[in-house]
């Protein structure tokens, strides 16, 4: 049951992070992508929490995340959430790297 919950949490995380990663704020004449930073930090935090909750929990979370990202890209008309610009590619690649890192971490103690 926990694994199913982690898959659903991964799918939800993907959708929310995909929406948030495009937000920017202007500081001193430059655009700071605070949404991208927040999406990556949240992904890392949730993957670490999932790894502590269930053995290889990061992998289960990653399964849901990757399935949702694939579903977004393969939807009719394509995805408007994750564009193929530097922000979209950084979001997708950075999140996947963080998920793989979290999934390959040493399992929690006592397992």
């Amino acid at each position: 049951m926990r694994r199913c919950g982690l898959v659903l949490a991964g799918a939800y995380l993907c959708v929310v992070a995909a929406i948030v990663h495009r937000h920017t704020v202007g500081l001193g004449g430059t655009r700071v992508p605070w949404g991208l930073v927040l999406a990556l930090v949240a992904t890392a935090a949730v993957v670490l929490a999932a790894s502590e909750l269930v053995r290889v929990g990061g992998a289960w979370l990653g399964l849901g995340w990757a399935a949702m990202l694939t579903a977004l890209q393969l939807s009719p008309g394509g995805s408007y959430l994750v564009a193929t610009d530097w922000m979209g590619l950084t979001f997708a690649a950075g999140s996947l790297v963080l998920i793989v890192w979290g999934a390959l971490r040493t399992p929690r103690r006592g397992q």
Side-chain angles (χ1 to χ4, degrees):
M1 193 60 144
R2 286 184 187 175
R3 293 176 183 146
C4 182
L6 287 175
V7 171
L8 292 174
Y12 181 73
L13 174 67
C14 179
V15 170
V16 171
I19 293 169
V20 170
H21 89 277
R22 303 294 302 178
H23 290 83
T24 61
V25 66
L27 291 176
T30 61
R31 302 300 293 172
V32 177
W34 69 267
L36 179 61
V37 173
L38 179 63
L40 293 176
V41 169
T43 299
V46 173
V47 139
L48 290 177
S51 295
E52 291 295 321
L53 182 64
V54 175
R55 186 175 179 97
V56 296
W60 288 103
L61 184 106
L63 178 67
W65 194 94
M68 184 55 72
L69 184 65
T70 303
L72 287 172
Q73 296 301 322
L74 296 178
S75 64
S79 173
Y80 294 103
L81 293 178
V82 183
T84 55
D85 61 353
W86 74 270
M87 284 181 81
L89 295 175
T90 302
F91 163 68
S95 294
L96 286 174
V97 165
L98 290 170
I99 289 169
V100 168
W101 167 75
L104 295 179
R105 282 186 58 242
T106 305
R108 64 183 174 151
R109 299 187 198 282
Q111 294 264 334

